[in-house]
Amino acid sequence: MPQYLRISENIYRKFQENKQFTDNKQDCLNLIIKQLRKELVDTDLKLTCQYIDFVEGFEQPLTNSRISLDISLVPSYKHKDEFVLWLAGFIERITDGGVKRLPPLHTDIPPEFTFQSDPNVILDRRNEHSGERIISYFRSDDFAEEIKNI
């Protein structure tokens, strides 16, 4: 996600410097896509499709060559942090390549674990790290020394 945030912050900064933001979201998004193509030139990211329909929203089913986007969900550019986060997520969805997120670790959760279960009991039964070992690390001198160096 950091690479997408960096690209979205660059796009936002360039739009602010050149005063390219408009209240018409469709025009603004078209300009963003043009700028995004320029930003992706020296990266290993590539756009997954060449055409994005900003008008129809989610009314039409997605096909391989088109991405539909409901522009009413796009935050206002006046709220910088929200807009940059949305843009980073949007860039992640419409590009291929780059560093991908790690898959969730649901395979590491024991099948007998439920929300009512005591994690220490299950982990001890499986002879894995218990909560006590983790807590003892945070109480150790090694951890206190690392905190001092920060």
Side-chain angles (χ1 to χ4, degrees):
M1 187 70 159
Q3 63 188 352
Y4 304 112
L5 281 171
R6 190 176 334 103
I7 292 170
S8 65
E9 286 174 347
N10 287 344
I11 291 172
Y12 190 89
R13 183 180 37 78
K14 288 178 183 177
F15 268 62
Q16 266 192 330
E17 290 171 356
N18 299 331
K19 296 181 171 64
Q20 288 181 305
F21 282 117
T22 64
D23 289 328
N24 184 344
K25 289 184 179 180
Q26 184 178 353
D27 292 341
C28 187
L29 287 171
N30 285 326
L31 292 172
I32 286 173
I33 294 298
K34 286 181 184 178
Q35 184 63 38
L36 178 60
R37 289 176 195 267
K38 294 176 187 175
E39 292 286 326
L40 295 180
V41 168
D42 293 331
T43 67
D44 59 344
L45 297 173
K46 295 179 183 175
L47 288 175
T48 57
C49 66
Q50 299 303 315
Y51 179 75
I52 301 174
D53 188 2
F54 294 120
V55 178
E56 295 177 6
F58 290 115
E59 296 172 6
Q60 299 291 327
L62 295 176
T63 62
N64 291 340
S65 62
R66 283 174 52 148
I67 292 178
S68 294
L69 174 72
D70 186 356
I71 60 173
S72 66
L73 299 176
V74 177
S76 172
Y77 69 89
K78 296 173 185 172
H79 305 288
K80 178 184 177 183
D81 294 336
E82 184 179 357
F83 187 82
V84 167
L85 283 174
W86 173 85
L87 185 56
F90 178 67
I91 293 169
E92 183 178 19
R93 281 191 315 254
I94 65 170
T95 57
D96 270 341
V99 179
K100 297 294 183 187
R101 292 184 185 176
L102 293 173
L105 300 175
H106 61 82
T107 56
D108 293 342
I109 299 173
E112 63 269 13
F113 183 77
T114 64
F115 286 107
Q116 291 79 24
S117 302
D118 182 12
N120 289 330
V121 173
I122 291 175
L123 292 174
D124 286 340
R125 192 178 321 143
R126 295 186 78 186
N127 295 326
E128 295 183 16
H129 301 291
S130 69
E132 294 300 320
R133 290 179 65 191
I134 295 170
I135 292 170
S136 66
Y137 168 73
F138 287 112
R139 292 182 181 155
S140 70
D141 294 333
D142 293 336
F143 179 73
E145 196 64 38
E146 286 181 29
I147 293 295
K148 288 179 186 178
N149 293 335
I150 293 178

